[in-house]
Amino acid sequence: MGAHSPFDRTFAFARRTAAAPLFVLFMLPGPLCAADTASDAAANAGAVTLAGTSGAATDRAAAAMDGFSGAPPSYGPPGQTPGIPSDAELEAAGAVVGEVLIDNQNIFNLEDPKDDVKLFRLANHLHSRTRKAIIRDQLLFGSGERYSRRLIDESERILRADSYFYDAWIRPVRYHDGQVDLRVTTRDVWTLNPGFNFGRSGGSNSTGVQLEEINLLGTGAGLKLAHTKDVDRTKSQLEVSDMHAFGTWTAVDVNYADLSDGRMRDLTLNHPFYALDTRWAAGVAGMDDVQTDSLYDRGQIIDRFQDRHQAVQVYGGWSKGLENGWVRRWSTGVTYDEHRFEPVSTWTGVTALPEDRRFLYPWIQFDLVQDDYLKLWNHDQIARTEDFYLGTTASVRLGWADAAFGSSRSALMLQSSAGHGFRDGGSSTLLLAGTLTGRLDNGEPRNVLLAGSVRYYLEQNENWLFFTTLQATKGWRLDLEDQILLGGDNGLRGYPLRYQDGTARALWTVEQRFFTDWYPFRLFRVGAAVFFDTGRTWGAAPLAAPGLGLLKDVGFGLRFGNARSGLGNVVHVDLAFPFNGDSTIKRVQFLVQTEQHF
């Protein structure tokens, strides 16, 4: 498999998904001190802007703000407060934000008898709640600023995107003297993963032991120590990340790993376009990775070689912000990207080496984003608020690598993408997306990849959802290490991983989803699915055997949504039954995977 550059988009910085952990380890407490430090206490005191209140006094003030005579709701989404004007009326009246109360809820609600058990009390005690200053730093509004429902909704989306929150809600709780007091409510999840991980797809297992914390002492920073083994390699890894380093929107990620076939040395420092109205962005990233790439066909390795990948990118971006519902952004930067390939001494089969490449090029990028989001429920997650993007988005990046300035050859570099969503106002949602990447190398198209997807959701009722998706990919004169593969690890669940290799691919999936109200151990939300997959590859890829035509499978499985953990969103446990293929594949495939979606 070919190595992937971290520069496919302008610093598309995202936290890595954990491998599928054993269910018994989801909530296993670790030796993490939960007491707030003195500095955190000071930050919290400054974060809650109710002057002269702390502890019980803060609760009484919050109760008064919420209109309750007793203690305020301490868990779950706050209700709407009666008597407050509508958003349109508040904005028309020129209301400003008054007091902002940060209600950072713990994992379990100990006021609920079902949660008030020894194990859950221990988990709450050992868990460091997300610090109020960390939450406040992510809000797009502050006291004294004009009230804006758009900024409130966008702040909720930003908070919900943090893997250490189960959900986030922002509600007006009092209107007085032209000011709107707000309550920002977040609910934490368990973020420490000390244990053994296991996953299985395409007939191959992945295992690992690790100590991972994605919300270190409530700061939002991540720390990971891991030793993992999968079909490609064994990896010992140390990763440190912080999406809000130095109390800013600056993201830092340092990834250091020793591999059984090489090494990883990656660094990212990035201040992104974090909100629709953000006016600038900048960043730098670098990597020095060495690993053995394997080419696959019929689930077997057909070629192996060593790939040393070195890359550096520096960029800056600017925008006028949100104007009439649209955002236009310009970015420019310089990228150095080099691959050097060598034979692997332990490989005794056919060796075909990709051509060494080195590109040094400046580039310019334009992004268009429409402000159009929708909140849904029980679509890709189980019993969680889901933010679906329905707007029009488009991006184009062009760069020029010149042989006279250090590139191995002159080339025009292209990256582009587009997408749009549709909602019929009732029960169905349609999402379209596509990408086109590649280069014009000495006047000839090289490594050109066109990909598109259609996703359709039909809500039958609150528990039943019909889902189907069609994905297609076409490549032209691909670099040897970049394969277009189809198998059990990328959607064709009844077949081995990396089963078919070609120059084009299509996959159609039909899925009937069922969302139950079952809540075992008050840890997991449970769903189920019955599915049908069919797909095929086309074209004569290098070293690959002729294609097997249209492949099909059916299957069923359970889905476990992590209601209390931030370490992976939905665990899939599936049985899939292939209809055809060669005689070597098993008639039943058992899969256990952690996915971002249902």
Side-chain angles (χ1 to χ4, degrees):
M1 298 291 290
H4 296 283
S5 167
F7 312 125
D8 290 342
R9 304 299 304 158
T10 303
F11 291 84
F13 186 89
R15 193 179 301 277
R16 293 167 175 81
T17 304
L22 294 177
F23 297 158
V24 295
L25 296 177
F26 274 16
M27 288 303 306
L28 181 64
L32 179 64
C33 177
D36 285 340
T37 63
S39 61
D40 190 31
N44 288 349
V48 181
T49 59
L50 297 177
T53 61
S54 62
T58 300
D59 288 340
R60 288 193 296 272
M65 290 173 64
D66 282 346
F68 293 102
S69 57
S74 60
Y75 193 79
Q80 299 291 344
T81 304
I84 294 181
S86 68
D87 295 319
E89 291 171 332
L90 290 170
E91 292 178 0
V96 299
V97 176
E99 307 291 355
V100 179
L101 174 67
I102 306 296
D103 179 18
N104 54 336
Q105 298 175 359
N106 216 325
I107 306 168
F108 295 96
N109 176 20
L110 301 185
E111 295 178 4
D112 184 340
K114 295 180 180 179
D115 278 2
D116 189 16
V117 299
K118 288 183 178 179
L119 178 61
F120 296 167
R121 289 196 299 269
L122 178 61
N124 271 8
H125 177 72
L126 294 176
H127 171 72
S128 292
R129 278 190 294 174
T130 304
R131 301 182 183 185
K132 296 178 180 180
I134 299 299
I135 299 170
R136 178 173 295 278
D137 287 342
Q138 299 182 55
L139 302 179
L140 301 178
F141 57 84
S143 296
E145 298 177 1
R146 289 287 292 268
Y147 177 86
S148 168
R149 168 47 59 181
R150 188 195 68 77
L151 291 179
I152 289 174
D153 289 342
E154 189 173 5
S155 296
E156 283 187 342
R157 293 195 298 268
I158 289 171
L159 291 171
R160 277 194 290 267
D162 292 331
S163 55
Y164 42 85
F165 292 135
Y166 182 79
D167 211 331
W169 310 271
I170 303 175
R171 299 285 190 269
V173 292
R174 189 170 63 154
Y175 179 55
H176 60 97
D177 303 324
Q179 296 186 346
V180 185
D181 297 334
L182 300 175
R183 174 189 287 271
V184 180
T185 304
T186 60
R187 202 193 91 187
D188 274 14
V189 289
W190 184 257
T191 54
L192 178 64
N193 180 22
F196 172 72
N197 291 341
F198 171 80
R200 180 175 178 82
S201 65
S204 298
N205 297 336
S206 59
T207 58
V209 291
Q210 63 187 31
L211 177 65
E212 180 182 15
E213 171 59 64
I214 62 175
N215 191 11
L216 187 64
L217 296 175
T219 64
L223 176 64
K224 180 177 182 180
L225 291 167
H227 182 77
T228 59
K229 182 178 182 180
D230 59 24
V231 67
D232 292 311
R233 60 187 53 86
T234 300
K235 177 168 65 175
S236 298
Q237 178 185 16
L238 168 64
E239 182 176 13
V240 179
S241 61
D242 190 349
M243 297 294 289
H244 299 280
F246 322 116
T248 70
W249 288 95
T250 301
V252 178
D253 186 74
V254 180
N255 193 6
Y256 181 95
D258 286 331
L259 314 178
S260 57
D261 57 351
R263 65 171 185 267
M264 291 176 60
R265 309 287 189 266
D266 300 346
L267 169 66
T268 300
L269 180 65
N270 186 37
H271 185 283
F273 286 112
Y274 58 85
L276 292 171
D277 207 37
T278 302
R279 304 307 174 95
W280 68 276
V284 60
M287 65 184 302
D288 182 6
D289 295 351
V290 179
Q291 65 180 37
T292 297
D293 287 352
S294 299
L295 304 186
Y296 277 81
D297 186 46
R298 306 286 175 91
Q300 303 296 320
I301 297 175
I302 58 175
D303 190 8
R304 303 192 84 174
F305 44 81
Q306 186 185 80
D307 177 7
R308 177 166 184 174
H309 186 194
Q310 294 180 313
V312 177
Q313 179 170 284
V314 180
Y315 90 102
W318 63 95
S319 170
K320 292 183 178 180
L322 183 65
E323 296 180 323
N324 300 317
W326 293 87
V327 179
R328 296 167 179 83
R329 295 168 176 161
W330 291 93
S331 303
T332 185
V334 177
T335 296
Y336 172 82
D337 192 10
E338 180 180 23
H339 287 270
R340 285 184 289 168
F341 301 95
E342 296 179 0
V344 176
S345 60
T346 57
W347 172 246
T348 58
V350 175
T351 299
L353 286 180
E355 187 178 5
D356 291 348
R357 302 185 304 276
R358 181 177 64 254
F359 294 111
L360 172 64
Y361 57 96
W363 51 263
I364 188 168
Q365 177 172 323
F366 174 72
D367 296 290
L368 179 68
V369 182
Q370 184 183 13
D371 181 14
D372 189 1
Y373 290 85
L374 178 69
K375 285 193 287 190
L376 295 174
W377 186 266
N378 279 352
H379 277 60
D380 286 334
Q381 304 293 324
I382 308 176
R384 299 183 76 160
T385 304
E386 303 176 54
D387 296 303
F388 271 58
Y389 180 67
L390 298 182
T392 297
T393 180
S395 177
V396 178
R397 178 194 292 189
L398 291 173
W400 176 254
D402 198 307
F405 294 97
S407 296
S408 54
R409 49 196 177 273
S410 297
L412 178 68
M413 319 296 286
L414 168 68
Q415 293 182 18
S416 63
S417 64
H420 187 70
F422 302 88
R423 178 74 172 176
D424 67 359
S427 59
S428 64
T429 305
L430 178 68
L431 304 178
L432 308 177
T435 61
L436 175 63
T437 63
R439 64 182 186 268
L440 193 64
D441 194 330
N442 286 329
E444 297 181 343
R446 294 292 301 268
N447 206 43
V448 176
L449 194 67
L450 175 65
S453 68
V454 180
R455 298 170 63 87
Y456 177 73
Y457 304 79
L458 177 63
E459 303 159 24
Q460 296 154 316
N461 58 44
E462 64 180 12
N463 294 109
W464 291 91
L465 178 87
F466 173 79
F467 171 74
T468 185
T469 180
L470 176 64
Q471 304 172 63
T473 304
K474 169 64 177 174
W476 290 270
R477 302 190 66 180
L478 295 175
D479 296 329
L480 183 64
E481 74 274 18
D482 290 330
Q483 290 187 282
I484 296 177
L485 294 168
L486 181 64
D489 52 339
N490 61 359
L492 199 63
R493 286 167 277 195
Y495 293 84
L497 82 171
R498 307 167 191 175
Y499 186 60
Q500 289 279 263
D501 179 19
T503 59
R505 170 185 67 200
L507 174 67
W508 180 42
T509 292
V510 178
E511 196 166 271
Q512 179 63 57
R513 298 177 175 179
F514 177 56
F515 299 84
T516 78
D517 298 321
W518 189 24
Y519 196 12
F521 310 110
R522 298 186 65 80
L523 299 178
F524 314 106
R525 299 288 187 178
V526 180
V530 178
F531 56 84
F532 168 75
D533 307 316
T534 182
R536 63 165 298 175
T537 59
W538 290 267
L543 307 180
L548 296 173
L550 191 65
L551 303 175
K552 300 178 287 291
D553 67 61
V554 296
F556 60 89
L558 294 175
R559 305 289 181 264
F560 297 91
N562 297 336
R564 311 288 189 169
S565 170
L567 301 161
N569 284 344
V570 183
V571 175
H572 292 214
V573 181
D574 289 325
L575 288 177
F577 306 89
F579 286 173
N580 47 6
D582 65 64
S583 59
T584 64
I585 68 173
K586 296 180 179 179
R587 306 321 301 168
V588 180
Q589 294 285 345
F590 175 61
L591 302 93
V592 180
Q593 303 175 92
T594 297
E595 302 286 354
Q596 292 295 321
H597 301 103
F598 194 101

